[in-house]
Amino acid sequence: VSIAIADVAALETRIHMATFASDENYENPFDASLKAKEAYAKRWGYTFEVFNDNTIDCGAFRPLRWRGDFRYCKLEALKKIRKRVRKLQKSGSHARDYIFWHDVDTHIMRPEIPLTHFVAIANYAPVVFTENALSLNNGVFFLQVDEDGPGKRFFSAWRRGCRTGEWPWADNGCMYEVMLHHFAGERYTGACTSFRQDDFNEARPEPP
């Protein structure tokens, strides 16, 4: 086991930073933060991409209902960047690749620490979440890009789980249920397949 861990640690770790800004109402207030993230990525040799409504079709995953929590843009953005990284991997480069997703309203607080530090102390787990004061949150996390390994299997399960149901916080809400089924397997017997389905109002889909 120690040899296997040593081999994994010896691989180069590439980080692909990504976020999504829905429109100028989000891009402008966080302009300074986005520039800081761009500088941080450049400092450590990471790629950095800001997706928006012009670069991805959020409605391709689920129809757009309103410009808020019920948009699943993150899953479409992750799909696009994952496809690009897989193309890079197929070119013959031997490295371990992680997507580092960070919501546009999150910030780099310790720029002197490389992101590779966090995946290393997590023993290169396929999915790594950062700490959150309230609950598990996918506003900031790492997702390993692999051909048919645990990273891909989790991402595929996440997308399947979000296809149906009415979830709070869209992709974050359904992710909880997906994680319970995906990682706990038969140990989890729950079935939280929807959220307030009976109270859902098509004419006013946003939360109260």
Side-chain angles (χ1 to χ4, degrees):
V1 175
S2 60
I3 295 176
I5 293 176
D7 289 342
V8 169
L11 286 173
E12 176 194 1
T13 301
R14 292 184 301 213
I15 302 293
H16 310 271
M17 295 172 58
T19 191
F20 176 84
S22 60
D23 52 33
E24 62 181 14
N25 292 328
Y26 276 86
E27 287 183 342
N28 292 343
F30 297 108
D31 183 61
S33 178
L34 290 171
K35 288 180 179 178
K37 291 173 182 177
E38 183 178 12
Y40 175 79
K42 184 177 181 180
R43 161 66 176 83
W44 292 106
Y46 308 147
T47 63
F48 176 52
E49 184 165 359
V50 180
F51 293 93
N52 56 43
D53 291 297
N54 296 319
T55 57
I56 59 172
D57 179 8
C58 298
F61 182 78
R62 290 186 67 168
L64 171 65
R65 293 212 304 265
W66 71 298
R67 300 178 68 81
D69 281 346
F70 288 96
R71 303 184 78 200
Y72 290 79
C73 305
K74 185 178 299 181
L75 292 174
E76 282 302 293
L78 288 169
K79 178 183 177 181
K80 188 169 183 177
I81 193 170
R82 188 183 183 283
K83 184 178 180 179
R84 186 172 67 247
V85 175
R86 281 293 298 135
K87 185 177 180 180
L88 178 65
Q89 291 175 336
K90 291 176 182 178
S91 68
S93 60
H94 298 285
R96 178 196 307 105
D97 290 284
Y98 278 90
I99 297 171
F100 176 66
W101 181 272
H102 48 291
D103 285 353
V104 71
D105 59 349
T106 62
H107 310 283
I108 301 293
M109 305 301 293
R110 297 286 300 275
E112 71 275 15
I113 301 178
L115 294 175
T116 50
H117 167 77
F118 299 100
V119 293
I121 62 176
N123 292 323
Y124 302 100
V127 186
V128 181
F129 293 93
T130 59
E131 293 183 6
N132 185 283
L134 299 177
S135 64
L136 185 67
N137 186 286
N138 67 19
V140 182
F141 68 97
F142 297 86
L143 176 66
Q144 186 176 16
V145 179
D146 46 30
E147 180 179 4
D148 192 25
K152 179 186 178 182
R153 289 194 289 272
F154 172 73
F155 183 55
S156 297
W158 187 10
R159 285 178 63 88
R160 286 196 304 272
C162 293
R163 287 287 185 188
T164 58
E166 307 302 336
W167 304 97
W169 317 299
D171 55 80
N172 196 55
C174 55
M175 184 196 70
Y176 294 146
E177 181 73 4
V178 168
M179 290 183 70
L180 288 168
H181 281 289
H182 187 72
F183 294 119
E186 295 180 354
R187 290 172 293 174
Y188 174 65
T189 58
C192 181
T193 56
S194 63
F195 173 76
R196 296 176 61 186
Q197 187 77 38
D198 294 339
D199 298 331
F200 182 70
N201 183 354
E202 285 286 355
R204 187 185 172 92
E206 69 272 17

